[in-house]
Amino acid sequence: MSAAAPIQLRLRLRYPRASQDALALDATLPGRGITAIFGPSGAGKTSLLRCIAGLERAEGVVRIGDETWQDARRRLPTHRRALGYVFQEASLFPHLSAGGNLHYAERRAGADPMRRAEVLQLMGLDGLLGRYPHQLSGGERQRVAIARALLCRPRLLLMDEPLTALDPARRREILPYLEALHHSLDIPILYVTHSVDEVARLADNVLLLENGRLAAQGHASDMLPRLTQAGDEQAGVLIQASLAEREPRWGLALLRFDGGELWAPDGQEALQAKLRLRVLARDVSLSLEPQGRSSILNRLPARIEAIETSESAPQALVRLRLGSTPLLARITRRSVAELGLAPGQRVWAQIKSVAVVR
Amino acid sequence: MSLSAQDWAAIALSLRLATVSTVVLLLLGTPLAWWLARSRHWLKGPVAALVAMPLVLPPTVLGFYLLLLMGPNGPLGRLTETLGLGLLPFSFGGLVVASVIYSLPFVVQPIQNAFEAIGTRPLEVAATLRAGPWDRFVSIALPLARPGFISAAILGFAHTLGEFGVVLMIGGNIPGATRVVSVQLYDHVEALDYANAHRLAALLLGFSFLVLLAVYGLRRRRPALSL
Amino acid sequence: MPPRPGRAKRFTATLCGAVLLLWQGTSAAHTALVAVATNFAPTLASIVEVFQAHSGHRITLASGASGKIYAQIRHGAPFDAFLSADQAKPAALVKAGLALPDSRFSYALGALVLWSADPERVDARGQVLIRGDFRRLALANPRLAPYGVAALEVLQALDLVETTRARWVLGENIAQTYQFVHSGNAELGLVARAQLWRAGQAAGGSAWPVPASLHAPIRQDAVLLQSGRDNPAARALLDFLRGAQARRIMESQGYTWPGA
């Protein structure tokens, strides 16, 4: 697919006897890449996906590029929409083996041996095909489910919190597969999640939902800071950088971005490669002067934009800017008071750990 | 086993009746069970209650009213006469109709429960994989409901095989057409011919037990379908 | 402790005596449990009503198929007397030592009628049977019911067995036979005359009273059972059945009194 036409959504969903709409949304989503649909429980994320799929009857318009799935005149039933849907719990057919489940999709969408081989390899399913769902682990089931959704040649892939039902070990196991998916697929993916971590690692764009309404929309790196709160362990930022230099002696690479330069572990990427970095708030400390000798490699000048505190918690979240790049730092309220930190002030940010996400 | 020719004829007739009735019940009962499992229409309650009625009606009462309904003065009887089918009482066809009504809940309810147990998720998944409504029914609902179908068939067959009260009322005891085993047994007892009664009863019990044993044994060997 | 125990004793005795008196009714009044064949049950109920008014005894009736009652008695059912629809079962009970031999007697004679629910179907001389102008002929199962045996004898006497056999519909008992005809499912049937005379008049339709000469008499026997041996009420009822009042009631309901 060349120029990816955007996805248009105008949806109103109201349940019988309800006093207001469960979902009221007007948005245009990019026609490629992973768009994360983020929000607290009950925000309507799953409802949105189900409306797009036609599993719920909403009023409005659903247009995927040049295909109209729903408008004022007609509504295509789910089985006529060229979509792939991965449900929260794998939902494999229990009476079919893994291979049988995949075959089910192929039989109805048209089999393509090359595509099948590709998908099998992508999801690492060789050797699993003969097993039945109850003989597979949660992670394996989910991978089969994703493969099955891919094999029905969708124009749009919908994923409803595919990792939420898995334990952390399984989640870690599957994430690389999802990242690989992102690289090799050129169809848009709508990915519902309430995990900031997943957004950080996978999303290109973010749609923020609150109470069934669109609260915000934008690129992941811009949106990420908004998604976090002071007490959130995963609070952090994404920085788009390019690899400027390598220092093989120390196994480090210098990454340049708008706002400065950072040292990070060398992942053997090529020079000038575009990388996404993640910096967690808890790995950032602040000082009023550049320190003397210290073990922390990355020390950058930054300006404080805002300080968020709450009476009961000992910690505060400081929102900073490195040039135009946002940065978050979590420090104690006591330090805020003792250092006399205030918005507008210039400080030095000491970044202890930088993770290259992609 | 020294059973009379009449006894054997009664057995053959009963087996034929049970088989035909079970097949008819599965064909009629499946769409009915599907509708009951999925519908949220207000009619669902009354229909479900009607289906369950044969469970609480005494068979002889049911048979008596069928006798009236299917007779020349009853609506059903008038219908069959207009269609050129004659009257249903005293015929094999009449017994099939009566058996179907009498065993209806025993077939519909297991199938309905099996359909309900499937839930909506597998069908939604199938829809996202481009399966239309009939396709979903055949490729997902039927296979997943298989244990329910097996139960329904066994129960329907066994129930019809043992049916007595209804047959008594509308059968007329015609050899080869309506003289089924249960009536034959009853007649032996009534005529104080206990020896023949014991022989026939033993055969009937033995046969039923073997059939049920075979089918229930088969079910256990199937792998568990965890939904 | 009340200081006059004598008074308490007397009071209790009086109370017991009063209860006993009330329980028994007037002097020497007894109760009996009587089993009766279904076809005769309504008639017996009418007879018992009169009997109870006269004698002060109380009779409880249990009706059912003769075969069933027979089996129950053989297995210890506490009946005092049994009015069967045939002669065979009382005879068998006597033979088995469960009934008193010299108490057995024929209390009624049954009569057959060829009947149709259709008022035009049956002619006054029963020619419709010979003409063969019907789809189904209902009769009681000869293997089980005395009325069926008689019906078969009638057909044999008229030489119609082979020509009608394919159109027979057998009722388990005479009551079911009646149902088949009444509902119209069998155009014709050989039923008991008593069934038609229930309301005192022929119950609609058309009928031909079958001449008694065409079949062996349908004698219905009664017998006193061992458990009723010393029961005055049971004995009294059996005697009453042989009297004129019982006879009048029976004949008004379609039975013939056997006489002698």
Side-chain angles (χ1 to χ4, degrees), chain B residues 64 67-68 70-73 81 86-87 89-90 168-169 172-174 179 183 186-188 190-194, chain C residues 65-68 70-71 75 89 135-136 141 143-144 168-173 176 179-180 182-186:
Chain B
F64 178 68
L67 185 69
L68 295 181
M70 298 202 272
N73 305 316
E81 284 200 303
L87 289 177
F90 317 136
L168 192 66
M169 296 308 283
N173 210 329
I174 302 175
R179 181 176 287 171
V183 173
Y186 175 74
D187 284 354
H188 284 320
E190 282 297 290
L192 312 181
D193 185 357
Y194 295 149
Chain C
S66 302
K68 256 200 269 311
Y70 171 82
H75 287 88
K89 304 207 175 40
R135 272 187 295 193
R136 299 269 187 209
N141 191 337
R143 201 173 163 221
L144 309 176
W168 288 355
V169 171
L170 300 181
E172 292 299 311
N173 49 49
Q176 191 179 46
Q179 270 167 16
F180 288 158
H182 181 78
S183 64
N185 284 290

Side-chain angles (χ1 to χ4, degrees), chain C:
Chain C
M1 215 37 83
R4 274 178 291 210
R7 201 186 269 194
K9 259 205 208 151
R10 264 185 287 133
F11 177 73
T12 317
T14 318
L15 198 63
C16 286
V19 168
L20 216 62
L21 210 65
L22 286 167
W23 192 268
Q24 296 280 40
T26 52
S27 63
H30 290 86
T31 57
L33 184 62
V34 174
V36 57
T38 323
N39 69 65
F40 196 71
T43 309
L44 187 59
S46 311
I47 296 175
V48 161
E49 221 182 288
V50 176
F51 170 74
Q52 282 181 156
H54 277 229
S55 66
H57 292 301
R58 301 210 44 79
I59 305 290
T60 308
L61 294 181
S63 74
S66 302
K68 256 200 269 311
I69 296 175
Y70 171 82
Q72 287 171 345
I73 293 172
R74 289 212 57 163
H75 287 88
F79 298 121
D80 296 309
F82 175 31
L83 272 65
S84 182
D86 63 359
Q87 295 189 292
K89 304 207 175 40
L93 284 172
V94 167
K95 192 150 163 228
L98 293 168
L100 274 52
D102 34 348
S103 67
R104 186 160 81 94
F105 69 98
S106 297
Y107 64 90
L109 279 182
L112 273 180
V113 172
L114 180 71
W115 181 57
S116 174
D118 175 359
E120 323 255 305
R121 177 80 61 163
V122 180
D123 57 288
R125 290 190 308 130
Q127 291 299 308
V128 60
L129 249 190
I130 298 167
R131 275 205 306 274
D133 205 358
F134 54 89
R135 272 187 295 193
R136 299 269 187 209
L137 173 66
L139 53 146
N141 191 337
R143 201 173 163 221
L144 309 176
Y147 282 87
V149 172
L152 186 57
E153 287 170 355
V154 168
L155 291 173
Q156 280 166 342
L158 295 175
D159 207 5
L160 291 172
V161 172
E162 288 317 312
T163 48
T164 58
R165 188 193 290 275
R167 287 176 284 175
W168 288 355
V169 171
L170 300 181
E172 292 299 311
N173 49 49
I174 197 64
Q176 191 179 46
T177 311
Y178 177 85
Q179 270 167 16
F180 288 158
V181 184
H182 181 78
S183 64
N185 284 290
E187 290 88 357
L188 290 180
L190 286 159
V191 299
R193 187 170 61 185
Q195 289 174 315
L196 299 184
W197 260 253
R198 193 68 36 84
Q201 277 293 339
S206 48
W208 172 56
V210 174
S213 55
L214 291 178
H215 60 90
I218 307 172
R219 301 189 90 95
Q220 306 199 203
D221 279 5
V223 78
L224 186 67
L225 301 170
Q226 288 293 355
S227 36
R229 194 177 44 219
D230 301 317
N231 188 318
R235 285 185 184 274
L237 177 64
L238 291 182
D239 285 338
F240 189 80
L241 278 172
R242 286 189 263 230
Q245 279 179 301
R247 172 182 179 171
R248 265 202 300 281
I249 296 173
M250 271 191 244
E251 285 178 345
S252 78
Q253 299 210 1
Y255 287 95
T256 314
W257 196 63

